[in-house]
Amino acid sequence: AQSVSQHNHHVILSEAASLELGCNYSYGGTVNLFWYVQYPGQHLQLLLKYFSGDPLVKGIKGFEAEFIKSKFSFNLRKPSVQWSDTAEYFCAVNARAAGNKLTFGGGTRVLVKP
Amino acid sequence: NAGVTQTPKFQVLKTGQSMTLQCAQDMNHEYMSWYRQDPGMGLRLIHYSVGAGITDQGEVPNGYNVSRSTTEDFPLRLLSAAPSQTSVYFCASSTGLAGGNTDTQYFGPGTRLTVL
């Protein structure tokens, strides 16, 4: 079975700082990778996803993530955060052999101070 | 399209009570699933369905039942609520592409359940 780990539980930043959230998964087969965001009081929304092709994926709101297969990683980045990026971020993995089932990491709470 | 809808938004139960969390989607998605969200544990899959009449267990199925009589609806039943089931519950759906590939899952707004 696959598992997902997110290295940081909480991150506090100032506006305009750069953000990088780590995500590692354990699964030897082909995977699809996702980052979801949950703004306070809201449901999960897709930030970006990787299925195949260019390992550098660009998503909404200036976020990007890089899939490094050799490191089993899919880290999320944003060069300059805004107060509105305050949210909880979840990395998720779908093993292609497992159909549609997603396995989520524990989440990282990001607080951006104005 | 309304997307994925869930009712109720909030619910308080006493231990031993039963209830059904409702989930509906109007996107004609074949795949639907239920997750629970607990602090520090991300979302964990409870049950899922790949189409009407077909359901299967996820990672944490104990204490929950599901059925899928139509493509649109996927209710989650708690037969005898326990405090350990206090959580936020999310329903999700996706197209469920053939060949084992997945499409993006769309999440509902969640139901916050407290069991006393």
Side-chain angles (χ1 to χ4, degrees):
Chain A
Q2 63 267 31
S3 65
V4 181
S5 63
Q6 293 182 236
H7 311 307
N8 306 98
H9 295 297
H10 294 91
V11 172
I12 301 175
L13 300 165
S14 297
E15 277 192 312
S18 64
L19 172 70
E20 179 160 1
L21 303 182
C23 172
N24 284 91
Y25 66 93
S26 64
Y27 183 72
T30 304
V31 294
N32 301 316
L33 299 155
F34 304 81
W35 275 99
Y36 282 87
V37 61
Q38 186 178 28
Y39 298 104
Q42 298 188 26
H43 58 92
L44 275 79
Q45 303 171 40
L46 182 71
L47 266 182
L48 47 79
K49 62 185 178 184
Y50 172 82
F51 283 7
S52 64
D54 189 344
L56 183 61
V57 179
K58 295 193 183 298
I60 61 171
K61 304 187 180 185
F63 285 92
E64 65 178 29
E66 184 175 14
F67 172 46
I68 303 179
K69 189 175 181 179
S70 61
K71 295 185 178 180
F72 298 90
S73 70
F74 191 55
N75 293 353
L76 181 71
R77 297 192 291 254
K78 185 170 183 178
S80 178
V81 295
Q82 300 173 315
W83 174 79
S84 58
D85 293 322
T86 293
E88 189 161 15
Y89 294 80
F90 294 94
C91 180
V93 171
N94 157 250
R96 299 247 181 119
N100 275 288
K101 289 189 283 186
L102 279 177
T103 299
F104 283 84
T108 300
R109 287 185 183 269
V110 174
L111 173 63
V112 180
K113 293 184 174 179
Chain B
N1 285 357
V4 181
T5 58
Q6 292 182 237
T7 56
K9 291 188 177 178
F10 301 94
Q11 183 70 50
V12 179
L13 293 177
K14 294 181 180 178
T15 297
Q17 287 185 315
S18 63
M19 79 159 296
T20 299
L21 308 185
Q22 302 291 344
C23 174
Q25 52 89 13
D26 60 359
M27 297 175 282
N28 202 31
H29 285 170
E30 290 294 327
Y31 184 87
M32 296 185 74
S33 54
W34 276 102
Y35 295 86
R36 59 177 290 172
Q37 182 184 22
D38 301 293
M41 303 184 75
L43 280 76
R44 293 179 292 169
L45 182 65
I46 304 171
H47 285 284
Y48 66 98
S49 168
V50 298
I54 307 169
T55 64
D56 205 348
Q57 296 181 348
E59 183 184 353
V60 288
N62 292 341
Y64 308 95
N65 283 347
V66 292
S67 59
R68 185 92 179 273
S69 56
T70 66
T71 299
E72 294 78 19
D73 300 297
F74 190 44
L76 178 72
R77 296 185 189 84
L78 285 71
L79 298 179
S80 179
S84 61
Q85 293 178 305
T86 294
S87 187
V88 181
Y89 292 85
F90 288 99
C91 180
S93 74
S94 71
T95 58
L97 297 175
N101 288 332
T102 189
D103 197 358
T104 302
Q105 292 199 27
Y106 295 89
F107 286 81
T111 295
R112 186 174 293 274
L113 175 67
T114 301
V115 183
L116 303 175

